[in-house]
């Protein structure tokens, strides 16, 4: 979290010197129905070939995992109740954008940079007296293409597509956690990280396709 705050501070301090500063929002598919707010700056240092973009997104996940497996791996072997499940994750992105000439786009960029995701999957066994979350925090890397199409001098239509890969991370639920390095806490029976990771659909390799609007602020 401290690294994220530090990155945000750098971004905003750098934007003071930028010749171009824009903010916007996007909606689309990001491993589920996703929403994102973002800020973009460019030409903040003479001769620096990249623009910068920082984003904060929210994605709704319809299938966070296998409910019965999650119950056995994180809590107990009870069989009662009817499972209901839902999930979501917040993601923070920090990208370098490099301008390219593709398909006659005047403002097209290849982007790449780090990601951080905070995932929550909820499993509620109605009538079974079990309602619990499984969570994880993951670092990742993203890359793709984003384009800005002018609507007016201050507004652009924005379209983006790409891939994000998230690295394996500790999965925690109830009072149990499973870690990729084998340092588990209150592991049940002979379950290990592979079992937990198979049961829970935390972000892994996610396809991204989103559209939205951006507004020139400076």
């Amino acid at each position: 979290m401290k690294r994220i705050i530090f990155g945000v501070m750098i971004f905003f301090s750098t934007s003071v010197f930028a010749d171009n500063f824009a903010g916007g929002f996007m909606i689309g598919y990001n491993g589920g129905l996703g929403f994102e707010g973002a800020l973009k700056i460019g030409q903040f240092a003479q001769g620096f070939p990249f623009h910068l973009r920082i984003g904060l997104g929210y994605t709704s996940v319809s299938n966070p995992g296998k409910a019965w497996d999650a119950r056995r791996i994180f809590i107990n072997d009870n069989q009662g109740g009817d499972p209901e499940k839902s999930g979501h994750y917040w993601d923070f992105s920090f990208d370098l954008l490099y301008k390219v000439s593709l398909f006659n786009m005047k403002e097209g960029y290849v982007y790449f940079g780090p990601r951080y995701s905070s995932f929550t999957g909820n499993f509620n066994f109605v009538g079974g007296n079990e309602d619990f979350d499984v969570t994880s925090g993951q670092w990742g890397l993203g890359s793709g293409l984003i384009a800005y199409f002018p609507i007016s001098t201050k507004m652009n239509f924005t379209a983006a597509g790409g891939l994000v890969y998230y690295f394996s991370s500790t999965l925690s639920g109830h009072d149990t956690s499973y870690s990729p390095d084998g340092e588990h806490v209150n592991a049940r029976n002979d379950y290990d990280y592979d079992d937990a990771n198979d049961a829970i659909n935390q972000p892994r390799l996610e396809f991204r396709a989103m559209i939205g609007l951006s507004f020139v602020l400076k």
Side-chain angles (χ1 to χ4, degrees):
M1 182 59 68
K2 290 182 179 179
R3 294 178 182 178
I4 293 176
I5 294 173
F6 181 68
V8 172
M9 291 175 63
I10 291 177
F11 181 85
F12 280 104
S13 62
T14 304
S15 67
V16 174
F17 304 100
D19 292 332
N20 181 272
F21 184 34
F25 61 89
M26 303 186 78
I27 183 173
Y29 183 81
N30 188 31
L33 179 60
F35 305 87
E36 182 190 62
L39 294 171
K40 171 182 171 292
I41 65 172
Q43 304 303 317
F44 65 90
Q46 187 173 359
F48 188 67
F50 298 101
H51 295 232
L52 301 181
R53 185 177 185 272
I54 188 172
L56 179 63
Y58 175 89
T59 299
S60 176
V61 178
S62 60
N63 182 19
K66 304 170 185 176
W68 292 106
D69 288 350
R71 186 182 200 177
R72 285 191 293 268
I73 292 168
F74 287 93
I75 301 186
N76 56 45
D77 294 323
N78 291 346
Q79 299 295 316
D82 297 316
E84 295 180 348
K85 55 187 179 179
S86 62
H88 67 271
Y89 65 89
W90 293 91
D91 65 277
F92 172 86
S93 60
F94 189 92
D95 287 317
L96 295 175
L97 279 63
Y98 185 77
K99 193 170 184 178
V100 294
S101 297
L102 292 173
F103 312 113
N104 295 319
M105 293 185 298
K106 294 183 179 180
E107 289 289 329
Y109 300 86
V110 171
Y111 68 82
F112 56 93
R115 301 287 185 276
Y116 183 79
S117 167
S118 178
F119 167 84
T120 300
N122 177 259
F123 302 91
N124 179 23
F125 287 81
V126 179
N129 196 32
E130 299 288 1
D131 186 354
F132 64 99
D133 291 337
V134 177
T135 62
S136 68
Q138 299 168 270
W139 288 99
L141 294 172
S143 182
L145 180 68
I146 187 168
Y148 299 87
F149 302 94
I151 296 175
S152 68
T153 57
K154 292 292 185 179
M155 183 169 64
N156 296 297
F157 172 77
T158 309
L163 291 173
V164 181
Y165 177 77
Y166 289 102
F167 302 103
S168 298
S169 180
T170 299
L171 286 160
S172 300
H174 204 248
D175 59 352
T176 297
S177 66
Y178 297 89
S179 177
D181 61 11
E183 295 186 2
H184 312 318
V185 176
N186 295 328
R188 297 199 65 255
N189 300 328
D190 294 324
Y191 295 124
D192 58 17
Y193 179 78
D194 289 338
D195 297 313
N197 192 44
D198 181 66
I200 305 301
N201 294 335
Q202 64 176 333
R204 294 184 179 92
L205 180 63
E206 305 296 342
F207 174 70
R208 172 183 173 89
M210 305 185 80
I211 59 173
L213 296 173
S214 66
F215 304 88
V216 177
L217 305 175
K218 180 180 178 183

